[in-house]
PDB file of all heavy atoms in Angstrom:
ATOM      1  N   LEU A  97      88.716   0.913 146.710  1.00  0.00           N
ATOM      2  CA  LEU A  97      88.616  -0.349 145.966  1.00  0.00           C
ATOM      3  C   LEU A  97      89.810  -0.538 145.034  1.00  0.00           C
ATOM      4  O   LEU A  97      90.319  -1.645 144.866  1.00  0.00           O
ATOM      5  CB  LEU A  97      87.304  -0.396 145.185  1.00  0.00           C
ATOM      6  CG  LEU A  97      86.025  -0.550 146.028  1.00  0.00           C
ATOM      7  CD1 LEU A  97      84.785  -0.381 145.155  1.00  0.00           C
ATOM      8  CD2 LEU A  97      85.989  -1.911 146.741  1.00  0.00           C
ATOM      9  N   ASP A  98      90.258   0.544 144.428  1.00  0.00           N
ATOM     10  CA  ASP A  98      91.450   0.459 143.578  1.00  0.00           C
ATOM     11  C   ASP A  98      92.670   0.030 144.385  1.00  0.00           C
ATOM     12  O   ASP A  98      93.496  -0.764 143.923  1.00  0.00           O
ATOM     13  CB  ASP A  98      91.716   1.798 142.902  1.00  0.00           C
ATOM     14  CG  ASP A  98      90.723   2.121 141.790  1.00  0.00           C
ATOM     15  OD1 ASP A  98      90.061   1.184 141.300  1.00  0.00           O
ATOM     16  OD2 ASP A  98      90.613   3.314 141.417  1.00  0.00           O
ATOM     17  N   GLU A  99      92.778   0.554 145.583  1.00  0.00           N
ATOM     18  CA  GLU A  99      93.911   0.184 146.434  1.00  0.00           C
ATOM     19  C   GLU A  99      93.830  -1.287 146.853  1.00  0.00           C
ATOM     20  O   GLU A  99      94.851  -1.993 146.902  1.00  0.00           O
ATOM     21  CB  GLU A  99      93.941   1.085 147.674  1.00  0.00           C
ATOM     22  CG  GLU A  99      94.306   2.536 147.357  1.00  0.00           C
ATOM     23  CD  GLU A  99      94.191   3.446 148.570  1.00  0.00           C
ATOM     24  OE1 GLU A  99      93.783   2.941 149.656  1.00  0.00           O
ATOM     25  OE2 GLU A  99      94.485   4.642 148.441  1.00  0.00           O
ATOM     26  N   ILE A 100      92.610  -1.753 147.144  1.00  0.00           N
ATOM     27  CA  ILE A 100      92.432  -3.166 147.502  1.00  0.00           C
ATOM     28  C   ILE A 100      92.791  -4.056 146.312  1.00  0.00           C
ATOM     29  O   ILE A 100      93.422  -5.109 146.469  1.00  0.00           O
ATOM     30  CB  ILE A 100      90.984  -3.414 147.978  1.00  0.00           C
ATOM     31  CG1 ILE A 100      90.743  -2.692 149.309  1.00  0.00           C
ATOM     32  CG2 ILE A 100      90.704  -4.911 148.118  1.00  0.00           C
ATOM     33  CD1 ILE A 100      89.297  -2.661 149.747  1.00  0.00           C
ATOM     34  N   TRP A 101      92.394  -3.646 145.130  1.00  0.00           N
ATOM     35  CA  TRP A 101      92.774  -4.366 143.902  1.00  0.00           C
ATOM     36  C   TRP A 101      94.292  -4.546 143.859  1.00  0.00           C
ATOM     37  O   TRP A 101      94.794  -5.644 143.604  1.00  0.00           O
ATOM     38  CB  TRP A 101      92.274  -3.601 142.680  1.00  0.00           C
ATOM     39  CG  TRP A 101      92.549  -4.255 141.347  1.00  0.00           C
ATOM     40  CD1 TRP A 101      93.766  -4.475 140.762  1.00  0.00           C
ATOM     41  CD2 TRP A 101      91.579  -4.774 140.438  1.00  0.00           C
ATOM     42  NE1 TRP A 101      93.617  -5.085 139.548  1.00  0.00           N
ATOM     43  CE2 TRP A 101      92.290  -5.286 139.320  1.00  0.00           C
ATOM     44  CE3 TRP A 101      90.185  -4.846 140.449  1.00  0.00           C
ATOM     45  CZ2 TRP A 101      91.638  -5.856 138.213  1.00  0.00           C
ATOM     46  CZ3 TRP A 101      89.542  -5.415 139.345  1.00  0.00           C
ATOM     47  CH2 TRP A 101      90.258  -5.912 138.254  1.00  0.00           C
ATOM     48  N   GLY A 102      94.998  -3.448 144.116  1.00  0.00           N
ATOM     49  CA  GLY A 102      96.458  -3.507 144.093  1.00  0.00           C
ATOM     50  C   GLY A 102      97.020  -4.430 145.151  1.00  0.00           C
ATOM     51  O   GLY A 102      97.993  -5.159 144.910  1.00  0.00           O
ATOM     52  N   GLU A 103      96.427  -4.420 146.336  1.00  0.00           N
ATOM     53  CA  GLU A 103      96.898  -5.291 147.411  1.00  0.00           C
ATOM     54  C   GLU A 103      96.719  -6.768 147.069  1.00  0.00           C
ATOM     55  O   GLU A 103      97.626  -7.583 147.288  1.00  0.00           O
ATOM     56  CB  GLU A 103      96.140  -4.968 148.701  1.00  0.00           C
ATOM     57  CG  GLU A 103      96.501  -3.615 149.319  1.00  0.00           C
ATOM     58  CD  GLU A 103      95.648  -3.287 150.531  1.00  0.00           C
ATOM     59  OE1 GLU A 103      94.788  -4.114 150.904  1.00  0.00           O
ATOM     60  OE2 GLU A 103      95.835  -2.198 151.108  1.00  0.00           O
ATOM     61  N   ILE A 104      95.547  -7.100 146.535  1.00  0.00           N
ATOM     62  CA  ILE A 104      95.303  -8.504 146.195  1.00  0.00           C
ATOM     63  C   ILE A 104      96.217  -8.931 145.049  1.00  0.00           C
ATOM     64  O   ILE A 104      96.812 -10.011 145.070  1.00  0.00           O
ATOM     65  CB  ILE A 104      93.820  -8.735 145.836  1.00  0.00           C
ATOM     66  CG1 ILE A 104      92.921  -8.396 147.025  1.00  0.00           C
ATOM     67  CG2 ILE A 104      93.599 -10.182 145.398  1.00  0.00           C
ATOM     68  CD1 ILE A 104      91.431  -8.497 146.747  1.00  0.00           C
ATOM     69  N   GLU A 105      96.343  -8.076 144.070  1.00  0.00           N
ATOM     70  CA  GLU A 105      97.170  -8.401 142.909  1.00  0.00           C
ATOM     71  C   GLU A 105      98.640  -8.583 143.295  1.00  0.00           C
ATOM     72  O   GLU A 105      99.346  -9.420 142.727  1.00  0.00           O
ATOM     73  CB  GLU A 105      97.019  -7.308 141.850  1.00  0.00           C
ATOM     74  CG  GLU A 105      97.425  -7.745 140.458  1.00  0.00           C
ATOM     75  CD  GLU A 105      96.952  -6.756 139.412  1.00  0.00           C
ATOM     76  OE1 GLU A 105      97.206  -5.536 139.586  1.00  0.00           O
ATOM     77  OE2 GLU A 105      96.313  -7.181 138.417  1.00  0.00           O
ATOM     78  N   SER A 106      99.090  -7.803 144.272  1.00  0.00           N
ATOM     79  CA  SER A 106     100.493  -7.884 144.686  1.00  0.00           C
ATOM     80  C   SER A 106     100.739  -8.974 145.722  1.00  0.00           C
ATOM     81  O   SER A 106     101.889  -9.272 146.055  1.00  0.00           O
ATOM     82  CB  SER A 106     100.945  -6.532 145.259  1.00  0.00           C
ATOM     83  OG  SER A 106     100.263  -6.255 146.478  1.00  0.00           O
ATOM     84  N   GLY A 107      99.658  -9.549 146.275  1.00  0.00           N
ATOM     85  CA  GLY A 107      99.810 -10.614 147.255  1.00  0.00           C
ATOM     86  C   GLY A 107      99.942 -10.155 148.682  1.00  0.00           C
ATOM     87  O   GLY A 107     100.308 -10.956 149.556  1.00  0.00           O
TER      88      GLY A 107
END
Side-chain angles (χ1 to χ4, degrees):
L97 290 172
D98 287 341
E99 291 174 358
I100 293 170
W101 182 294
E103 290 175 1
I104 299 176
E105 200 166 50
S106 67

